[in-house]
Structures are given as C-alpha cells and as structure tokens.
Amino acid sequence: MMSKHPGTGSHTVTVFVFPGVRLLDVTGPIEVFTTANEFGGRYRVQIVSQDGREVITSAGTRLGADLSVDDVQEPCDVLVVPGGPEWDTLIKDDALLDVVRQLDENSRCTASVCTGAFLLAAAGLLNGRRATTHWRHAQELASRFPSVRVAPDAIFVQDGQMMTSAGVSAGIDLSLALVEDHYGAEVARSVAKDMVVFMQRPGGQSQFSVRTRAPHTHQQMLRRVLDAVAENPGANHTLTAMARRAGISVRHVTRLFYEEVGTTPARYVEQVRLEAAQALLETGDDPMPVVARRTGFGSPESLRRAFVRHLGVTPGAFRASFRTAGRGHEGSAVRGGAVVVEARVDDDELSAA
C-alpha cells in the first residue's frame, strides 16, 4: 500500500467516470471512503468525467461529475478507474486512454475496479506488473496484454503504485485495504461492520494474498524464488532448493527474505501453499489427499494442521463453508467479519518438507 504508518492526514480520492461505466464500480469505493469519514478518516472524494458533464451508467442511471479532467489541478492520493460492460470498445478510444494516463500521472496510487484493469492495461500502465480483473475476463486480459502478469484468483492485487481488483464488489475490498493503510485497522474494521461486509474475505482469494501482492524487491535472484513459489506451490521449496534456484547460499536466501519480504522463507512458502489449498477447496471437489499433494503439504494431516493453525478451521469445514450461505455453520474461519490468523510456524519442520 502507500504507507505502513497510518495517520490522520487527509486524502483526496478521484473517481473517473465515463459513459457506460458500471454503477457499483463507482459507488462501492465512494461508499467506503465516505463511510470512513464517520470513523476518523479524512477523505475528499471527487468525481471526474472527461468533459465535466454527467454520464449515463450501464444501468441507465445518471451520474453527475464535480470536475472535468482539465479542471483537476492538484495531485490526488488515489485514482479509481472503474470498468464497464463495453470495455472492448473503451480500450479502443485513444482519447479516453489519454485521459487515464493524464490522471495517473497526477495520482500517487491508481486503482482499477473489475474491467477497469483493461483501461489501465491499454494505457500501458500495467506493463510488467501483476494485475487481476473479473474472473470471467482474466484470460482475455492475459491474452490481449501479454506483458501483464494476470492473477485470476485474487480479489485484488497491488504492484507498486498500481492496484487492480476483481469483479464489481471487489472494489469495496480494495478500498477497505486502502482505508486500513491510511488510517489503521480499527477504522477499516468499523467501516466494514457499518457496511456489513467482510473486513477480509476467507478463501484463496484473500484480500491479503501473499502470492499476488508482489512483495517489493529489486533483487532479481529473490524475484526468481518468489515467482517459482507462486507459480507452483507444490514443488520443492526447501531452503536448499531456493538457494540453488537463486544461485546463492542458504544464509543469503534467509537474509534476503528477512530484508525484502519481512518474513522467513518457511513462513512465506507455507502462506502461499495455504492460499493455494484454500483456492482448490473453494472452487473444486478434489479429495483431500490430492489437495495436499498439489499444494505441497504432502499429506491430509499436514494440510489439516496448517488450516487449524492459521485459520482455526479444518479443510473440510472450510470447504463446507463455500457450499452454504453460512448461517448457523459451526467451525467457520470467519469471526467478527475477519479471518482469524495465528502465525505459529515451525520453520525446521517446513524446511524439511
């Protein structure tokens, strides 16, 4: 995110709208930021259209604009670029893409909602970056823009100053994460409770996805290791294997993880494997031995221990929670709107896995 030290300063949010924009892509983030103002946030939200006039959304609703693009004089903290059903036409509009680039240059953080990722990609803003979009369009984003590293199972992805989110309501998840970054977890939690939404969704598409938030590192040797773990969690990722892959010593690998990622290699690998297992359990019907083998846990018992340790729920109960609306379900990993995470990991045990 933008800052690891939440404060009390004000933040300007610019929401770009255009004809055919999806209504919830716009109103979801606005609702989060304005609700945050009731709990200590200080957001100023402005809606900007290309010419300053109102636009008609894909739902037929009229949306007024506060400013035209040319009227935007001061930098903003967050630029929100929503999507729309006619994204295929929008990405061919050179004038619209020029506006996106202009607004991005004047923003400290640019965030897309749903198919808004196509606008960012077409404007060249996602080249070489990780990104996500609505699951239905993820493959299309990847094929049209091969320089974009698409993460189809993420609720949202942050790569540098760029953030992209999945379909429609995922813009709320992304906005909550920004609120937490700006003003702290308590403010974000209050907003989530007020809006009756998850502070953090359970599942492999967790908003704090280890695999998709692209830890910042300029160390290419470490980037190779991180990418290998993300792309194939079930492979051999012992310290020795990581060191061999990076072409450095085991001690150097451990030091780079502490310095660049902020955790140990063992913890990182287990977090990635856990998220991969969550994704399989959420969307598939593979038996537990298959899930355990594909995600690198080896056995159902090791998988079960990891789930209980981190999520407070067994893999079976986790899978069941995605087969029902959840009312009255016992053993849910969700408590008070957030997944309960207990970071107790045996590094030696994992390194030997």
Side-chain angles (χ1 to χ4, degrees):
M1 306 306 172
M2 298 305 295
S3 170
K4 293 183 179 179
H5 304 286
T8 58
S10 61
H11 294 81
T12 300
V13 178
T14 297
V15 182
F16 177 51
V17 297
F18 46 83
V21 69
R22 191 179 293 276
L23 184 60
L24 186 56
D25 286 10
V26 175
T27 57
I30 289 177
E31 192 68 24
V32 171
F33 294 124
T34 55
T35 301
N37 289 341
E38 301 175 21
F39 299 99
R42 292 177 59 193
Y43 286 104
R44 182 173 72 91
V45 179
Q46 56 186 17
I47 299 178
V48 174
S49 68
Q50 195 164 352
D51 56 9
R53 298 179 182 178
E54 69 177 17
V55 300
I56 307 297
T57 71
S58 62
T61 304
R62 295 179 181 272
L63 273 180
D66 301 305
L67 299 168
S68 70
V69 172
D70 292 335
D71 290 332
V72 178
Q73 301 296 325
E74 299 179 357
C76 69
D77 296 285
V78 180
L79 167 65
V80 177
V81 179
E86 303 301 322
W87 58 266
D88 192 26
T89 300
L90 294 171
I91 63 175
K92 300 171 185 174
D93 187 336
D94 291 335
L96 185 69
L97 297 181
D98 284 341
V99 167
V100 172
R101 296 186 192 98
Q102 179 181 339
L103 290 172
D104 170 70
E105 289 177 359
N106 214 28
S107 173
R108 296 184 177 90
C109 171
T110 295
S112 69
V113 182
C114 196
T115 55
F118 282 88
L119 293 178
L120 298 188
L125 301 177
L126 296 181
N127 291 343
R129 297 183 183 274
R130 295 188 180 189
T132 194
T133 187
H134 191 291
W135 62 267
R136 195 187 303 275
H137 304 297
Q139 184 56 50
E140 187 71 25
L141 181 65
S143 68
R144 289 198 181 222
F145 304 99
S147 64
V148 180
R149 302 165 65 191
V150 178
D153 64 339
I155 289 180
F156 71 74
V157 173
Q158 180 210 355
D159 192 335
Q161 76 275 22
M162 292 290 169
M163 300 181 71
T164 52
S165 60
V168 288
S169 63
I172 293 175
D173 298 87
L174 182 151
S175 300
L176 280 170
L178 283 168
V179 170
E180 179 175 9
D181 186 63
H182 293 154
Y183 296 106
E186 285 304 314
V187 174
R189 189 174 296 111
S190 296
V191 174
K193 288 181 178 179
D194 189 77
M195 294 180 63
V196 197
V197 296
F198 283 123
M199 170 70 170
Q200 175 181 340
R201 298 193 199 190
Q205 297 181 17
S206 167
Q207 65 184 3
F208 298 116
S209 173
V210 176
R211 289 179 293 157
T212 56
R213 68 186 176 196
H216 297 293
T217 178
H218 299 294
Q219 301 283 350
Q220 288 303 313
M221 59 187 72
L222 179 60
R223 172 53 60 194
R224 289 197 298 271
V225 172
L226 296 176
D227 287 346
V229 176
E231 290 165 8
N232 188 3
N236 177 14
H237 298 302
T238 62
L239 274 173
T240 301
M242 288 182 178
R244 187 182 306 116
R245 190 174 295 121
I248 56 179
S249 68
V250 167
R251 170 181 266 182
H252 196 182
V253 169
T254 303
R255 182 176 63 80
L256 284 178
F257 263 87
Y258 271 116
E259 293 178 353
E260 301 286 329
V261 185
T263 188
T264 67
R267 287 194 178 96
Y268 183 82
V269 171
E270 181 163 78
Q271 286 172 323
V272 171
R273 286 175 170 172
L274 183 66
E275 288 179 358
Q278 287 173 289
L280 290 178
L281 292 171
E282 178 182 344
T283 60
D285 294 306
D286 289 335
M288 291 301 169
V290 174
V291 173
R293 184 175 65 254
R294 289 180 61 187
T295 55
F297 284 103
S299 70
E301 178 57 26
S302 294
L303 177 69
R304 188 195 68 79
R305 289 201 306 267
F307 264 73
V308 172
R309 180 167 59 243
H310 287 279
L311 301 178
V313 64
T314 65
F318 180 89
R319 169 176 274 170
S321 71
F322 287 93
R323 301 293 188 267
T324 175
R327 188 175 70 166
H329 176 69
E330 295 183 2
S332 172
V334 181
R335 302 176 190 171
V339 174
V340 178
V341 179
E342 297 180 7
R344 295 194 301 270
V345 183
D346 188 333
D347 291 348
D348 295 333
E349 178 184 19
L350 183 59
S351 296

